[in-house]
């Protein structure tokens, strides 16, 4: 079972934070198919968060096909998130490392690198839309 | 959406001092509503009007469609945790529970006992010797064990340390999650971060006017910070309502309300956190205040 | 609600009970002892009419006066220590915000509190009054002065009215002042003022006093409480006599002595003047055909006055309670 937390200053709606955390856990292999998500009531009491928020997050996950509720029993993980084998990650990581090295060589500091990446990432995503 | 609490032009004056002026708002059913605003905005007055501790100077307030505290049946449906969570200093924890049991028709003794056990409170302890956090928890226990349909909390965590504050909010959320037909909760606070976790609905009150009112997720999804080269607010596209504007010589920063972010190479438009969102509304109310009124 | 009121009120009640038990034990022992001595003293003369009680009164002066003072004092203390904090303490500590949001109306909350505390106050005071009245009755029979203001207020049923009034007064002041200590102080002050004002200005007029002219014969002169001149000696000093009617309430300590032509006698004009004494001899005066006019409330009005005054204080109690109820709903709202 996983534990949730809320970061109030992130600017991300609390229910989305929960959704992200479940996705993250699926990606990291902390949650598997068949696992039960914590009960709404327990999450609410533990995290000190509105139960409606938890419900909303679970509903969103359900819409994404990642979980499904069994009435009276709980909410269970039914989907998986593409976790391509690490072997596929490795060449990409190598490439990224090479790119980072050349960015440093070009005199960019850490913040500039991050800004450049974020900006490029966002515009690319938007262009693809 | 059924209204649990409804106020119309609600006004309360103490002699010459106006605590709440011309306040009109609606609290929807089944929500945890955060009431946020600066000190002196009238939050406490509003809550005390809603539970019948105060009567309006003019205007009207209705709870479940009736005047507050109209009779004992009405009183039994509303729980109230007052600011600074008063308890009887010489009475023990057990005495307080007994008091609740004797005075409330729907008293849930099992719930009260379980909560006291969970909190690790000694029933024979006098309430005067409890810590602030424990006293707040005792007051909350009294309010929730009467199984109210509406729970009003007046700055319940303002005086608590972070640990006690978290524990209090956990208890509160447990109550909300447990209540069968979901109770409506109104919680006033100036700690926006607390409200963001526990509330799903927010009412921003400043100068006793409702500045913003809505589901928190909706509010977050429709408010943005827009940073751009200096320009006037009215040059922004239609569909964007400027909540707050700040200008330097070269730059303008707006907090705007819009259905969605609008891409434009001439500006950066980012989502905004709830705290900044609330602050923007409060500052805009301060901007629009008549110049004669001194700013506190 | 009864339970809560009792729980909050327990400590004060136990103090009162302890005082009552101590007073009962002391006055009971002392009173039985007094009765033995009274029987010895009055053996053979009916109604103690022929006995001189001054010695007995001296011997029992302490229980007699402390008992009477206690009956006067207890309602005042009850008003200050029970009545004043009843609402004021809830307002001061903020607990009214807790209790007025329980499933019980504010009106019922006040009713139960006032009833329980009020009835206890009346009972405690009543028991004490009964005890002191019983203890002092032999001495009162000897002294024939139970109608005088101090003793009237500490016997019979009027203390019950005072107790109810004191509780209502303290409660009402507590509500409007919102401060326990201030309410206690003002309750004491107002109650004391009422206790001074009533015997001076109200009680004498409950019924038209009896006016009568008494001839200063030898027997009357022997039984005067005082005979002499008012103020400093000189032509302006009036020649006065104090007359006592047994068990009646004399409304003036002394009255000017007049001669047969209704002339008020002053220093120098009085008959039987001699050089060696300021006050003429009684034997001479008895033949001078003098008289005084007196005003008094006769003995048989003692119980009607007790009932009337009790009723007045109960009416005041009702008025104050109505004001408190109104204030509880209006002013705090």
């Amino acid at each position: 079972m996983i534990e949730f937390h809320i970061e109030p200053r992130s600017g991300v709606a609390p229910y989305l934070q929960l959704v992200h955390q479940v996705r993250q856990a699926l990606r990291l292999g902390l949650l598997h198919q068949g696992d039960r998500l914590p009960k709404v009531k327990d999450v609410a009491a533990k995290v000190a968060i509105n139960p409606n928020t938890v419900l909303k997050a679970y509903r969103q996950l359900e819409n994404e096909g990642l979980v499904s509720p069994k009435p009276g029993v709980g909410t269970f993980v039914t989907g998986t998130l593409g976790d391509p084998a690490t072997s596929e990650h490795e060449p990409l990581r190598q490439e990224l490392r090479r790119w980072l090295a050349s960015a440093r060589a070009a005199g960019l500091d850490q913040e500039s690198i991050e800004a450049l990446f974020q900006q490029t990432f966002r515009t690319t995503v938007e262009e693809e839309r | 959406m059924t209204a649990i609490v409804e106020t119309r032009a609600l006004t309360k004056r103490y002699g010459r001092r106006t605590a709440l002026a011309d306040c009109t708002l609606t609290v929807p059913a089944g929500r945890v509503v955060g009431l946020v605003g600066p000190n002196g905005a009238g939050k406490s007055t509003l809550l005390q009007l809603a539970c019948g501790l105060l009567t309006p100077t003019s205007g009207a307030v209705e709870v479940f469609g009736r005047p507050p505290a109209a009779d004992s049946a009405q009183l039994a449906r509303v729980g109230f945790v007052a600011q600074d969570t008063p308890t009887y200093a010489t009475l023990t924890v057990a005495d307080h529970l007994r008091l609740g049991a004797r005075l409330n028709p729907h008293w849930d003794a099992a719930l009260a006992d379980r909560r006291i056990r969970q909190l690790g409170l000694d029933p024979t302890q006098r309430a005067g010797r409890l810590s602030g956090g424990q006293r707040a928890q005792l007051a909350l226990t009294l309010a929730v064990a009467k199984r109210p349909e509406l729970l009003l909390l007046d700055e319940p965590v303002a005086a608590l340390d972070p640990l006690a504050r978290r524990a209090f909010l956990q208890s509160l959320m447990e109550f909300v999650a447990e209540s069968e037909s979901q109770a409506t909760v109104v919680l006033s606070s100036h700690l926006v971060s607390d409200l963001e976790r526990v509330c799903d609905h927010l009412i921003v009150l400043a100068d006793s006017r409702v500045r913003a009112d809505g589901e928190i997720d909706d509010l977050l999804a429709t408010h943005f910070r827009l940073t751009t080269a200096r320009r006037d607010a009215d040059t922004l596209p239609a569909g964007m309502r400027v909540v707050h504007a700040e200008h330097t010589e070269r730059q303008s920063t707006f907090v705007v309300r819009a259905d969605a972010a609008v891409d434009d190479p001439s500006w950066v438009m980012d989502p905004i956190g709830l705290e900044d969102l609330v602050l923007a509304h409060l500052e805009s109310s301060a901007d629009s205040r008549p110049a004669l009124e001194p700013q506190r | 609600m009864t339970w809560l009121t009792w729980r909050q009120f327990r400590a004060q009640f136990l103090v009162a009970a302890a005082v009552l038990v101590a007073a009962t034990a002391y006055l009971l022992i002392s009173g039985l002892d007094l009765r033995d001595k009274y029987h010895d003293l009055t053996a053979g003369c009916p109604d103690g009419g022929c006995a001189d009680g001054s010695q007995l009164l001296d011997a029992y002066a302490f229980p007699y006066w402390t008992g009477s003072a206690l009956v006067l004092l207890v309602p005042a203390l009850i008003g200050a220590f029970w009545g004043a904090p009843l609402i004021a303490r809830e307002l001061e500590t903020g607990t009214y915000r807790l209790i007025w949001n329980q499933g019980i109306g504010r009106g019922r909350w006040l009713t139960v509190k006032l009833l329980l505390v009020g009835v206890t106050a009346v009972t405690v005071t009543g028991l004490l009054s009964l005890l002191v009245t019983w203890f002092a009755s032999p001495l009162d029979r000897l002294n024939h002065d139970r109608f005088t203001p101090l003793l009237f207020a500490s016997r019979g049923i009027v203390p019950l009215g005072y107790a109810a009034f004191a509780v209502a007064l303290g409660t009402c002041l507590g509500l409007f002042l919102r401060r326990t200590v201030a309410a206690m102080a003002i309750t004491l002050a107002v109650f004391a003022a009422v206790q001074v004002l009533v015997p001076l200005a109200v009680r004498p007029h409950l019924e038209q006093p009896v006016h009568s002219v008494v001839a200063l014969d030898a027997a009357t002169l022997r039984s005067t409480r005082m005979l002499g001149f008012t103020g400093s000696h000189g032509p302006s000093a009036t020649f006065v006599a104090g007359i006592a009617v047994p068990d009646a309430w004399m409304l003036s300590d002394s009255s000017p002595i007049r001669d047969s032509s209704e002339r008020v006698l002053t220093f120098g004009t009085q008959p039987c003047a001699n050089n060696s004494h300021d006050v003429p001899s009684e034997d001479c005066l008895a033949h001078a055909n003098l008289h005084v006019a007196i005003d008094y409330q006769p003995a048989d009005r003692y119980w009607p006055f007790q009932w009337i005054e009790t009723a007045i204080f109960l009416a005041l109690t009702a008025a104050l309670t109505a004001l408190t109820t109104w204030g509880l709903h209006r002013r705090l709202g």
Side-chain angles (χ1 to χ4, degrees):
Chain A
M1 207 169 272
I2 62 166
E3 285 205 347
F4 292 110
H5 55 268
I6 291 292
E7 182 46 65
R9 288 182 201 285
S10 63
V12 180
Y15 87 96
L16 277 180
Q17 294 191 36
L18 298 185
V19 170
H20 291 325
Q21 283 166 37
V22 171
R23 288 218 202 99
Q24 197 75 22
L26 282 166
R27 237 179 245 117
L28 293 171
L30 300 175
L31 279 177
H32 304 286
Q33 271 187 321
D35 281 351
R36 199 179 70 185
L37 291 181
K39 281 188 203 148
V40 172
K41 184 195 137 200
D42 293 341
V43 179
K46 187 88 198 297
V47 189
I49 185 183
N50 192 305
N52 289 339
T53 306
V54 187
L55 276 172
K56 191 168 179 181
Y58 283 13
R59 226 173 292 131
Q60 166 96 15
L61 289 164
E62 192 188 335
N63 290 341
E64 292 176 9
L66 294 175
V67 303
S68 71
K70 285 187 189 166
V73 189
T75 305
F76 292 86
V77 178
T78 50
T80 51
L81 268 181
D83 180 24
T86 3
S87 56
E88 280 180 40
H89 275 191
E90 205 43 44
L92 288 169
R93 185 174 293 139
Q94 296 290 345
E95 226 173 297
L96 195 54
R97 282 215 172 126
R98 271 198 295 281
W99 179 82
L100 281 172
S102 45
R104 282 230 175 75
L108 271 67
D109 61 5
Q110 195 169 323
E111 276 182 20
S112 311
I113 294 174
E114 270 180 24
L116 183 59
F117 176 82
Q118 289 286 355
Q119 202 183 350
T120 317
F121 180 77
R122 205 181 307 162
T123 41
T124 315
V125 170
E126 279 163 8
E127 276 162 18
E128 280 169 1
R129 261 190 219 159
Chain B
M1 198 154 64
T2 339
I4 296 295
V5 182
E6 203 168 3
T7 73
R8 284 185 304 278
L10 187 61
T11 302
K12 179 69 185 177
R13 278 189 214 95
Y14 299 99
R16 281 187 179 171
R17 195 172 68 81
T18 302
L20 190 71
D22 201 26
C23 175
T24 299
L25 59 78
T26 304
V27 171
R31 303 302 154 89
V32 180
V33 179
L35 192 62
V36 65
N39 289 336
K43 302 189 297 287
S44 192
T45 304
L46 178 62
L47 289 174
Q48 293 191 63
L49 285 163
C51 72
L53 275 182
L54 298 175
T55 49
T57 309
S58 65
V61 54
E62 287 193 339
V63 178
F64 308 117
R66 302 175 60 202
D71 51 35
S72 54
Q74 175 90 336
L75 280 166
R77 296 171 76 185
V78 181
F80 179 63
V81 177
Q83 196 162 13
D84 307 323
T85 58
T87 52
Y88 289 105
T90 55
L91 263 57
T92 65
V93 171
D95 285 337
H96 278 86
L97 297 191
R98 200 161 166 197
L99 171 168
R102 286 180 171 258
L103 299 184
N104 294 290
H106 312 300
W107 183 256
D108 188 339
L111 170 72
D113 290 343
R114 182 164 49 85
R115 274 188 49 84
I116 294 302
R117 257 200 321 278
Q118 273 175 3
L119 295 165
L121 291 183
D122 173 7
T124 62
Q125 177 91 289
R126 280 172 193 269
R129 315 195 72 177
L130 296 175
S131 72
Q134 290 172 323
R135 217 178 56 226
Q137 290 279 18
L138 176 60
L140 179 64
T141 304
L142 270 176
V144 301
K146 68 189 269 192
R147 284 283 173 213
E149 292 162 56
L150 171 66
L151 181 59
L152 304 168
L153 301 106
D154 189 3
E155 298 266 7
V157 296
L160 303 186
D161 63 67
L163 213 60
R165 198 161 74 213
R166 179 58 60 84
F168 185 91
L169 294 176
Q170 286 174 331
S171 299
L172 180 62
M173 286 304 105
E174 194 177 0
F175 160 73
V176 173
E178 273 177 347
S179 59
E180 291 138 24
S181 56
Q182 182 156 15
T184 306
V185 179
V186 182
L187 171 72
S188 78
S189 178
H190 50 248
L191 297 166
V192 179
S193 56
D194 284 340
L195 293 181
E196 181 168 15
R197 333 174 63 92
V198 301
C199 300
D200 39 23
H201 193 103
L202 197 72
I203 296 175
V204 181
L205 200 68
D207 292 335
S208 80
R209 288 235 128 67
V210 177
R211 297 286 157 180
D213 177 4
E215 304 293 297
I216 288 182
D217 291 342
D218 293 345
L219 289 174
L220 286 174
T222 56
H223 282 78
F224 303 91
R225 177 177 283 111
L226 196 149
T227 314
T228 174
R230 180 166 179 133
R231 63 192 288 178
D232 281 336
D234 46 21
T235 64
L236 291 171
M240 275 190 198
R241 193 172 71 74
V242 175
V243 175
H244 183 61
E246 250 175 38
H247 304 283
T248 64
E249 273 173 44
R250 292 186 184 170
Q251 195 187 40
S252 293
T253 309
F254 301 101
V255 173
V256 298
R257 202 163 181 172
D259 290 338
V262 179
D263 280 324
D264 189 304
S266 68
W267 66 55
V268 181
M269 193 166 173
D270 288 324
I272 183 173
L274 195 64
E275 182 140 18
D276 287 352
L277 187 159
V278 168
L279 278 176
H281 280 286
L282 296 185
E283 279 168 359
S284 92
S285 102
D287 294 344
S288 64
R289 205 177 288 172
L292 279 173
E293 197 170 324
Q295 300 213 353
R296 271 164 297 185
Chain C
M1 192 55 224
T2 315
W3 170 81
L4 175 67
T5 308
W6 162 243
R7 179 65 188 77
Q8 288 180 287
F9 179 56
R10 204 167 59 182
Q12 288 108 300
F13 174 76
L14 290 177
V15 170
V19 169
L20 194 61
V21 167
T24 308
Y26 178 58
L27 288 179
L28 210 59
I29 293 167
S30 195
L32 291 172
D33 198 35
L34 167 65
R35 271 161 177 69
D36 289 344
K37 298 221 171 77
Y38 177 77
H39 278 298
D40 297 346
L41 187 72
T42 58
C45 58
D47 297 336
C50 56
D52 177 11
S54 63
Q55 261 192 332
L56 206 55
L57 185 61
D58 282 348
Y60 287 89
F62 182 75
Y64 181 76
W65 290 110
T66 47
S68 300
L70 201 61
V71 178
L72 283 175
L73 202 61
V74 158
L77 294 179
I78 281 178
F81 286 89
W82 295 8
L86 206 65
I87 296 178
R89 181 146 296 149
E90 305 261 0
L91 296 178
E92 214 168 42
T93 57
T95 43
Y96 72 98
R97 292 177 295 167
L98 173 78
I99 202 67
W100 292 351
N101 280 287
Q102 307 302 318
I104 173 173
R106 225 179 276 181
R108 224 188 102 207
W109 172 82
L110 178 69
T111 308
V112 174
K113 260 175 129 61
L114 265 183
L115 263 183
L116 197 86
V117 174
V119 167
T120 312
V122 168
T123 309
V124 166
T125 311
L127 287 174
L128 199 64
S129 170
L130 189 69
L131 186 71
V132 170
T133 305
W134 171 82
F135 166 83
S137 61
L139 299 174
D140 289 343
R141 272 201 293 277
L142 291 173
N143 280 332
H144 302 293
D145 62 351
R146 62 173 185 165
F147 212 153
T148 56
L150 179 71
L151 298 185
F152 181 84
S154 59
R155 307 274 191 276
I157 57 169
V158 282
L160 277 65
Y162 300 156
F165 168 73
V167 169
L169 177 70
T171 309
C172 189
L173 285 170
L175 170 69
F176 288 102
L177 293 171
R178 292 162 164 255
R179 290 275 172 279
T180 307
V181 176
M184 286 169 74
I186 296 188
T187 302
L188 282 176
V190 171
F191 188 81
V194 167
Q195 285 295 49
V196 171
L197 207 66
V198 166
L200 280 181
V202 179
R203 198 183 299 150
H205 310 296
L206 291 181
E207 260 187 80
Q208 188 68 37
V210 171
H211 183 84
S212 77
V213 175
V214 180
L216 284 183
D217 55 21
T220 310
L221 277 167
R222 257 200 311 281
S223 69
T224 53
R225 284 181 293 136
M226 61 93 64
L227 189 66
F229 296 94
T230 57
S232 55
H233 291 171
S236 63
T238 315
F239 189 34
V240 295
I243 306 294
V245 178
D247 284 323
W249 177 23
M250 307 310 297
L251 296 180
S252 51
D253 279 340
S254 58
S255 322
I257 298 173
R258 295 164 194 265
D259 62 13
S260 49
S261 56
E262 293 300 324
R263 197 162 54 105
V264 173
L265 300 174
T266 56
F267 186 74
T269 63
Q270 84 276 23
C272 311
N274 57 38
N275 297 330
S276 56
H277 299 292
D278 290 338
V279 180
S281 80
E282 288 176 9
D283 293 338
C284 172
L285 287 173
H287 301 290
N289 197 15
L290 302 173
H291 65 269
V292 292
I294 55 171
D295 289 300
Y296 65 98
Q297 298 287 359
D300 60 0
R301 290 186 184 172
Y302 180 80
W303 281 107
F305 270 44
Q306 283 265 337
W307 284 108
I308 293 170
E309 190 160 324
T310 307
I312 289 174
F313 274 86
L314 289 180
L316 285 174
T317 306
L320 283 169
T321 306
L323 183 63
T324 308
T325 310
W326 174 81
L328 198 65
H329 286 101
R330 278 301 307 258
R331 235 198 79 151
L332 288 171

